[in-house]
C-alpha cells in the first residue's frame, strides 16, 4: 500500500495541474433583462459566427491571448485601461491560482517521497494550505465578477479590443454580462485537494491496519495408543 500511495498520489496531483491549466477557467454569459433582446441576440448568434452568448476561457487560452496581444493595434484604449476597475483583482487571482498549481506540484513531490506516516501527514497539511489559497481565490474572483456584472468594465471596448467582428461589437451595445463564474479548471484543482486528503487518510488507515486473510486452524485429532499391561507369569 505504501508503494501504491507513492505512485497514485503524484499522478493525481500532476493530473490536477494539467486539468487546471487546460480546462475552462472562467465562464461569462451575456444577455439582457429584456426577453425580446435576449431572443434577438440568440437568433443572431445562431446565424453569424463570432456572436455568442456564452464565453469560456482556460488559463492556456488566456495566456495565448495575452502573448498574442490585441487584435486591433490602433485601439483607443489598452486592456489595462479598459480593465482598470478589476485589474487588482485580476493580478491577485492570477497570483493565487499560480500558487494553487505550485502547491499541487509540491504535493506530487511530497507524495512521491512519503515513505512514512509523518510525511503523509505533511501531504495532508499541504493540501489544506492549497484549499485555503483556493478559498481566497474564490473571494477575489467573486469581487471581480460583481464589478463586471455591475458594468464597471466597458464590454463594448473590451470586445472591440479582442475581436474584429463588427456585429459582435455592435451587439455589446444592447447586452451586458449577466453571469460570471469560475469553471471546471478551477474546481478540478480545488476538488483534487480534497480528494488527495481523503485518499491519504484512507491510505494511512489501511497501512496501519493491513487487510489480511483470517487463517483458521484445525486441531488435529491425536490418536492415543493404549498400552496393555503385561501379563504376569
Amino acid at each position: 500500500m505504501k508503494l501504491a500511495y507513492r505512485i497514485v498520489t503524484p499522478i493525481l496531483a500532476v493530473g490536477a495541474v494539467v486539468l487546471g491549466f487546460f480546462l475552462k477557467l472562467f465562464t461569462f454569459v451575456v444577455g439582457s433583462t429584456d426577453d425580446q433582446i435576449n431572443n434577438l441576440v440568440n437568433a443572431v448568434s445562431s446565424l453569424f459566427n463570432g456572436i455568442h452568448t456564452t464565453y469560456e476561457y482556460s488559463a492556456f487560452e488566456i495566456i495565448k491571448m495575452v502573448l498574442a496581444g490585441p487584435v486591433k493595434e490602433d485601439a483607443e484604449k489598452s486592456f489595462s485601461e479598459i480593465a482598470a476597475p478589476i485589474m487588482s483583482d485580476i493580478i491577485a487571482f492570477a497570483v493565487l491560482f499560480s500558487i494553487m498549481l505550485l502547491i499541487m506540484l509540491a504535493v506530487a513531490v511530497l507524495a512521491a517521497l512519503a515513505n512514512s506516516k509523518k510525511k503523509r501527514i505533511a501531504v495532508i497539511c499541504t493540501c489544506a494550505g492549497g484549499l485555503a489559497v483556493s478559498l481566497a481565490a474564490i473571494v477575489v474572483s467573486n469581487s471581480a465578477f460583481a464589478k463586471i456584472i455591475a458594468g464597471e468594465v466597458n464590454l463594448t471596448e473590451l470586445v472591440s479590443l479582442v475581436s474584429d467582428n463588427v456585429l459582435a461589437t455592435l451587439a455589446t451595445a444592447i447586452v451586458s454580462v449577466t453571469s460570471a463564474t469560475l469553471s471546471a479548471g478551477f474546481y478540478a484543482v480545488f476538488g483534487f485537494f480534497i480528494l488527495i486528503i481523503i485518499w491519504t487518510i484512507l491510505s494511512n488507515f489501511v497501512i496501519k491496519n493491513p487487510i489480511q486473510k483470517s487463517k483458521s486452524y484445525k486441531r488435529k485429532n491425536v490418536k492415543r495408543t493404549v498400552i496393555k499391561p503385561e501379563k504376569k507369569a
Side-chain angles (χ1 to χ4, degrees):
M1 185 64 192
K2 290 182 180 180
L3 181 60
Y5 178 83
R6 294 173 65 183
I7 294 173
V8 173
T9 313
I11 292 174
L12 291 175
V14 173
V17 173
V18 174
L19 293 176
F21 191 70
F22 289 102
L23 288 182
K24 301 302 182 182
L25 189 59
F26 302 110
T27 299
F28 300 97
V29 179
V30 297
S32 173
T33 54
D34 191 324
D35 292 337
Q36 291 182 345
I37 293 178
N38 271 333
N39 293 333
L40 176 62
V41 172
N42 289 329
V44 173
S45 65
S46 63
L47 295 175
F48 299 96
N49 292 327
I51 301 178
H52 307 282
T53 56
T54 301
Y55 295 86
E56 295 180 303
Y57 302 98
S58 65
F60 176 71
E61 291 169 338
I62 292 171
I63 292 173
K64 281 180 62 178
M65 289 170 60
V66 171
L67 294 178
V71 174
K72 295 181 180 180
E73 297 295 339
D74 57 345
E76 296 180 1
K77 292 184 179 181
S78 64
F79 175 79
S80 58
E81 291 175 327
I82 296 172
I86 60 170
M87 186 55 65
S88 59
D89 295 323
I90 292 174
I91 295 172
F93 181 85
V95 171
L96 290 171
F97 188 68
S98 298
I99 292 174
M100 285 173 60
L101 297 183
L102 290 174
I103 290 176
M104 190 61 84
L105 290 175
V107 168
V109 175
L110 288 173
L113 302 174
N115 56 359
S116 66
K117 182 179 179 181
K118 185 177 180 180
K119 292 181 179 179
R120 288 190 294 273
I121 291 175
V123 171
I124 294 176
C125 293
T126 306
C127 287
L131 287 175
V133 175
S134 301
L135 293 175
I138 292 174
V139 172
V140 171
S141 65
N142 286 341
S143 172
F145 293 154
K147 294 174 183 177
I148 292 172
I149 294 173
E152 294 186 29
V153 177
N154 191 309
L155 187 60
T156 302
E157 292 178 344
L158 183 61
V159 172
S160 64
L161 182 68
V162 299
S163 174
D164 56 359
N165 190 309
V166 178
L167 288 174
T169 304
L170 290 175
T172 58
I174 58 174
V175 297
S176 59
V177 178
T178 57
S179 174
T181 58
L182 291 170
S183 198
F186 178 86
Y187 288 109
V189 182
F190 183 84
F192 268 78
F193 278 128
I194 298 174
L195 177 62
I196 291 174
I197 289 175
I198 296 173
W199 161 246
T200 304
I201 293 172
L202 291 175
S203 298
N204 281 339
F205 179 79
V206 173
I207 291 170
K208 184 179 179 181
N209 304 284
I211 302 172
Q212 296 178 347
K213 291 183 178 180
S214 59
K215 296 181 180 179
S216 59
Y217 295 93
K218 291 184 178 179
R219 184 177 180 181
K220 294 181 179 180
N221 293 327
V222 180
K223 293 182 179 180
R224 295 181 179 180
T225 56
V226 179
I227 302 175
K228 295 181 179 180
E230 296 180 359
K231 292 182 178 180
K232 292 183 180 180

